Amino acid sequence: MMEPNYEAQLTREAIDTEKARSWLDDPGCGAIHIFCGVVRDLNRSKTVTAIEYHAHEPLALRSLEKVVAGLVDDGATKALAIHRLGMLKVGETSILLGVSLPHRKEGFGLLERGMIEIKSEVAVWKHEHYRDDAPEWIEGS
Amino acid sequence: MMEPNYEAQLTREAIDTEKARSWLDDPGCGAIHIFCGVVRDLNRSKTVTAIEYHAHEPLALRSLEKVVAGLVDDGATKALAIHRLGMLKVGETSILLGVSLPHRKEGFGLLERGMIEIKSEVAVWKHEHYRDDAPEWIEGS
Amino acid sequence: MELDLLLFASLRDIAGAQTLKVDLPEGATVSELLEMIAQNHPEFAPKLPHVRVAIGDEFAQPGDTIPADQEIALIPPVSGG
Amino acid sequence: MELDLLLFASLRDIAGAQTLKVDLPEGATVSELLEMIAQNHPEFAPKLPHVRVAIGDEFAQPGDTIPADQEIALIPPVSGG
């Protein structure tokens, strides 16, 4: 039986970049591209202390699967997306998107497109917590 | 004292993607981009069993430093390049290039440019080992 | 038919709850659902132009019929990643 | 002055060694070094149009003077990454 060549996950555990790289590994691939979206300490001029990521889980997972399946359709040998949910501190990875392919050239564009699709289609919302203000839901990216 | 915001390394140890991600981490960064070049099992129609990476080490390290310094000059908050040397099996990472920055958009182009510079300027050579032929030096990429 | 619509993000704050109970005629479409909410729950009206409806694990089209046996959700603009 | 030029990749195979001993006049430039190799070691001639010279940890320009006290290397087209 063939191993599936794409994978989408929602998780409440810390995302391990090395484990993602291992999953993407393939003997025919000379290139592995990984993008990590990370919680940063500043958004819209407010000091962010943490972000809670909340999802419509079945819908989000389905959309995430469509994104990685699309990347494989368009040339990735393997594609992996993992979105973290729950409360994240500054510096933690909220999304990891990765692709492997024989040569690196097309990988940059595939990851960029995948992230645009994730940002517009995956049913996840940030509830941002600030040092000096009440938490806010972010809608639209 | 300020931490340096770029780093270049030559190593004979396996490259750990998660450790690289941690080094790139910065509270002001929402994006971490990592590219791994990996030994693949086919090159120029020959079955590759291993590649030995050989360097002019001082020259290679200096060029690698210039590449990552250039990425920081052009907008990366941090930039890291690690080139592995010695004998590598199929599937192992030979080069890791990573950048972190506040927003992801510019990161794809920075990594792509950095890899082009590494491929043309860093004094490292592949000695490819094949299943069915004598090993060959690769010159030019 | 009675439905508990799933709410997300700011819609939960507006409702003060995770769901919104609505009563719809059988065969109502997605756009009829949204019109009904705008009329009966005007506190949601400013949000609705940007809200999509999901049926189960798929986004729905305006003309789709609302089924009685699947989860229906109101999806404000997403902000994941 | 006598120099041991560092060789890499296919240049090592051609020389059957990791270095090439050359004797240069004081003040010789990088391009004079390459011309001298082409004349005295014709087995390298086909490679030289694509070879760069490094002085210490920097690539040199054709007009640079070869110093006596730094490592001089012949750099064929690289293939790392």
Side-chain angles (χ1 to χ4, degrees):
Chain A
M1 204 174 118
M2 239 179 97
E3 296 279 323
N5 51 5
Y6 61 84
E7 166 86 9
Q9 298 170 14
L10 302 174
T11 181
R12 290 172 187 277
E13 310 288 316
I15 294 172
D16 184 321
T17 319
E18 178 60 27
K19 213 168 131 188
R21 185 225 172 280
S22 295
W23 190 92
L24 289 163
D25 200 9
D26 183 275
C29 286
I32 297 179
H33 299 249
I34 293 174
F35 173 77
C36 297
V38 178
V39 176
R40 67 195 183 95
D41 63 5
L42 191 75
N43 194 25
R44 308 180 189 192
S45 312
K46 290 181 181 174
T47 300
V48 173
T49 55
I51 300 182
E52 190 175 0
Y53 285 84
H54 191 79
H56 181 324
E57 297 194 22
L59 181 64
L61 190 58
R62 188 90 183 82
S63 305
L64 211 51
E65 271 169 6
K66 285 182 189 169
V67 173
V68 283
L71 297 180
V72 168
D73 280 347
D74 286 349
T77 301
K78 291 184 176 177
L80 171 66
I82 308 173
H83 205 305
R84 176 114 178 252
L85 301 177
M87 190 71 85
L88 274 72
K89 295 192 296 272
V90 170
E92 292 195 275
T93 298
S94 53
I95 176 83
L96 180 148
L97 180 65
V99 294
S100 53
L101 54 181
H103 301 281
R104 75 181 183 285
K105 196 168 170 21
E106 292 75 19
F108 303 102
L110 286 178
L111 271 201
E112 183 165 25
R113 193 194 83 190
M115 282 309 303
I116 290 170
E117 293 174 2
I118 287 170
K119 291 268 178 183
S120 68
E121 289 303 313
V122 177
V124 175
W125 296 269
K126 293 182 172 80
H127 199 215
E128 283 194 344
H129 294 250
Y130 307 107
R131 191 186 58 197
D132 304 318
D133 295 274
E136 271 178 30
W137 288 105
I138 308 297
E139 292 180 359
S141 49
Chain B
M1 206 174 119
M2 241 178 95
E3 295 282 321
N5 51 5
Y6 61 84
E7 168 86 7
Q9 298 171 14
L10 302 174
T11 181
R12 290 172 187 277
E13 310 287 318
I15 294 173
D16 183 322
T17 319
E18 177 61 26
K19 212 168 133 189
R21 185 226 173 279
S22 293
W23 190 91
L24 288 162
D25 198 9
D26 183 275
C29 286
I32 297 178
H33 299 250
I34 293 174
F35 172 77
C36 296
V38 178
V39 176
R40 67 196 184 95
D41 63 5
L42 192 75
N43 193 25
R44 307 178 189 193
S45 311
K46 291 182 181 173
T47 299
V48 173
T49 54
I51 301 182
E52 189 175 1
Y53 286 84
H54 192 79
H56 181 325
E57 297 195 20
L59 180 65
L61 190 58
R62 186 91 183 82
S63 304
L64 211 51
E65 271 170 6
K66 284 182 189 169
V67 172
V68 283
L71 297 180
V72 168
D73 280 347
D74 286 349
T77 301
K78 291 184 175 176
L80 172 66
I82 309 174
H83 205 305
R84 177 114 177 251
L85 300 178
M87 191 70 87
L88 274 73
K89 294 191 295 273
V90 169
E92 293 196 274
T93 297
S94 53
I95 176 82
L96 181 148
L97 179 64
V99 294
S100 53
L101 52 181
H103 302 282
R104 76 182 182 286
K105 196 167 172 23
E106 292 77 17
F108 303 102
L110 286 178
L111 272 201
E112 184 165 25
R113 193 193 84 190
M115 282 309 303
I116 290 170
E117 293 176 1
I118 287 171
K119 291 268 178 183
S120 68
E121 291 302 312
V122 176
V124 175
W125 296 271
K126 293 181 171 78
H127 199 217
E128 282 194 345
H129 294 250
Y130 307 107
R131 191 187 56 196
D132 305 317
D133 294 276
E136 271 177 31
W137 287 106
I138 308 297
E139 292 180 359
S141 51
Chain C
M1 61 188 178
E2 280 219 331
L3 289 175
D4 285 316
L5 297 177
L6 279 179
L7 303 176
F8 289 95
S10 67
L11 304 181
R12 290 193 171 186
D13 291 351
I14 292 171
Q18 299 189 12
T19 56
L20 177 68
K21 206 175 274 299
V22 295
D23 199 359
L24 272 188
E26 296 280 337
T29 63
V30 164
S31 38
E32 287 164 353
L33 167 65
L34 290 172
E35 283 162 28
M36 190 277 287
I37 296 170
Q39 284 185 1
N40 297 358
H41 305 274
E43 67 277 19
F44 291 103
K47 292 283 179 180
L48 294 179
H50 307 290
V51 160
R52 287 188 282 180
V53 172
I55 301 176
D57 64 2
E58 294 279 359
F59 285 107
Q61 299 301 315
D64 290 351
T65 300
I66 301 287
D69 58 352
Q70 286 195 69
E71 206 128 63
I72 312 299
L74 300 186
I75 306 295
V78 303
S79 61
Chain D
M1 60 189 180
E2 279 217 331
L3 289 175
D4 285 315
L5 295 177
L6 279 179
L7 302 176
F8 290 95
S10 67
L11 303 182
R12 290 192 171 187
D13 291 351
I14 293 170
Q18 299 188 14
T19 56
L20 177 69
K21 206 173 274 298
V22 295
D23 198 359
L24 272 188
E26 297 280 338
T29 63
V30 164
S31 38
E32 287 163 354
L33 167 65
L34 291 171
E35 284 160 30
M36 192 277 286
I37 298 170
Q39 285 186 1
N40 296 359
H41 304 276
E43 66 276 22
F44 290 103
K47 292 283 180 180
L48 294 179
H50 307 290
V51 160
R52 288 188 282 181
V53 172
I55 301 176
D57 64 3
E58 296 279 358
F59 285 108
Q61 298 302 314
D64 291 351
T65 301
I66 303 286
D69 58 349
Q70 286 195 70
E71 206 129 62
I72 312 299
L74 299 186
I75 306 295
V78 301
S79 61

